[in-house]
Amino acid sequence: MNEKLLEVKDLKRHFNSGRKGVLKAVDGLTFDIYKGETFGLVGESGCGKSTTGRTIIRLYEATSGQVKFDGEDVHGKKSTSELRAFNRKMQMIFQDPSSSLNPRMTVLDIIAEGLDNHKLVNNAKERQARVEELLEIVGLNKEHANRFPHEFSGGQRQRIGIARALAVEPKFIIADEPISALDVSIQAQVVNLLKKLQRDFGLTYLFIAHDLSMVKYLSDRIGVMYFGNMVELADSDELYRNPIHPYTKSLLSAIPLPDPIYEKSRKRIAYDPSIHNADEPAEFREIKPRHWVRCTPSEFEQYKAEHGV
């Protein structure tokens, strides 16, 4: 395993929701991401996936816990220059390319914004050339530089967002449901582009999504979230072959397959959180090597017995 690039320890992000009290969007996440890998983070809408990504990149301040990137504390006090350096190392691709691109700016200015902020080009000629290079890297034409976002399809706009993220040559990219707003026919193209860029530039990804089949295709390891907590974490193939937590089994049972006979008999497994003993403390425990599950002490023994550990 490569060295750790990102370390998340007991991360919490709570919101004050007025009369409803405190919303615990992220409530004690612990996981690591290694250099060069893709870590998939999955779960239903509202489970805290996107809040996790935004807290890691400091769009939200952490309520408590720690995030370390390249050995440095992300949420510690930082000077303007330190924040600028951090922002160059870590970038984000957003879910909706329509709302994440400024409609009043040309593609040239959108992509070059990071180049300008970090002073990575010396003059307008270099700026133009670098943007045109980035457009070609993501599968667009240099002639697109002078157009506006509304002139492009959803898939093309997401490619522009990817080019913007690549402009500052980051080490780590958080992809927050980058394909969920796209047509199915376009989703595979964007995912294949992300895989190619990872190979070409040695990138590390946190890939956030709710489509488990697409996450499996792209990710080396997968963490499953449920209401602010991570309930299972394992290598991608292992998680799909041998899911342990009942919630993971429920998610996997909902994945459709292009097989009419299978679909006719497929049984959806409903997850009932009341099956867990609320009187026992649930913790993240390693059931098998590299396979972690949030469980109580009695569930821990049960899961080990069921899997012959």
Side-chain angles (χ1 to χ4, degrees), residues 56-307:
I56 287 172
I57 203 171
R58 258 188 88 145
L59 291 178
Y60 297 145
E61 288 296 327
T63 301
S64 64
Q66 189 176 56
V67 178
K68 281 190 173 183
F69 180 76
D70 245 358
E72 297 182 9
D73 184 5
V74 170
H75 288 275
K77 290 184 177 179
K78 294 184 181 295
S79 65
T80 302
S81 60
E82 287 173 330
L83 281 172
R84 188 182 297 273
F86 166 72
N87 290 336
R88 184 178 174 186
K89 293 176 185 176
M90 189 186 296
Q91 288 287 301
M92 194 164 194
I93 301 168
F94 295 93
Q95 177 177 357
D96 185 0
S98 299
S99 60
S100 65
L101 303 178
N102 189 330
R104 295 181 178 84
M105 293 173 66
T106 64
V107 169
L108 173 66
D109 290 334
I110 289 170
I111 296 175
E113 198 168 12
L115 301 175
D116 299 338
N117 289 340
H118 294 278
K119 297 179 172 56
L120 300 180
V121 288
N122 296 314
N123 51 54
K125 185 177 180 180
E126 279 188 23
R127 185 178 188 263
Q128 179 85 27
R130 178 58 178 153
V131 169
E132 291 176 355
E133 179 187 16
L134 287 162
L135 285 170
E136 291 181 351
I137 286 172
V138 299
L140 296 174
N141 300 322
K142 61 183 181 179
E143 290 78 14
H144 291 144
N146 294 318
R147 296 184 186 177
F148 290 87
H150 72 271
E151 300 179 65
F152 297 89
S153 67
Q156 288 175 320
R157 283 196 291 264
Q158 194 59 287
R159 288 172 186 266
I160 294 166
I162 293 170
R164 176 178 59 184
L166 287 175
V168 295
E169 301 176 1
K171 294 182 179 180
F172 181 62
I173 291 179
I174 298 173
D176 184 12
E177 303 217 36
I179 59 172
S180 64
L182 306 179
D183 292 341
V184 173
S185 60
I186 305 300
Q187 290 180 358
Q189 296 177 20
V190 173
V191 167
N192 286 331
L193 172 63
L194 291 173
K195 287 175 73 76
K196 180 180 184 301
L197 295 174
Q198 186 174 43
R199 290 193 303 268
D200 293 347
F201 301 106
L203 296 169
T204 303
Y205 292 137
L206 171 60
F207 186 77
I208 299 169
H210 60 266
D211 183 343
L212 278 153
S213 55
M214 193 61 78
V215 171
K216 180 180 184 295
Y217 174 69
L218 189 65
S219 303
D220 299 294
R221 291 185 301 139
I222 297 173
V224 180
M225 281 191 72
Y226 178 76
F227 278 99
N229 293 117
M230 191 174 290
V231 296
E232 190 159 1
L233 191 163
D235 292 339
S236 178
D237 289 338
E238 165 68 13
L239 188 83
Y240 274 74
R241 283 197 308 264
N242 301 304
I244 294 176
H245 195 279
Y247 178 67
T248 307
K249 292 180 179 180
S250 173
L251 287 181
L252 290 172
S253 75
I255 299 176
L257 293 178
D259 182 343
I261 297 174
Y262 169 81
E263 284 300 310
K264 191 174 181 179
S265 60
R266 175 163 63 95
K267 301 293 185 190
R268 172 71 190 268
I269 301 172
Y271 174 57
D272 180 5
S274 68
I275 63 174
H276 306 290
N277 186 348
D279 296 328
E280 284 190 284
E283 296 179 2
F284 221 38
R285 295 176 166 93
E286 192 172 21
I287 307 295
K288 299 191 290 184
R290 294 170 56 83
H291 196 149
W292 295 76
V293 179
R294 182 177 173 82
C295 56
T296 65
S298 58
E299 288 172 338
F300 180 59
E301 297 302 326
Q302 174 193 335
Y303 295 155
K304 287 201 300 180
E306 288 175 351
H307 290 81

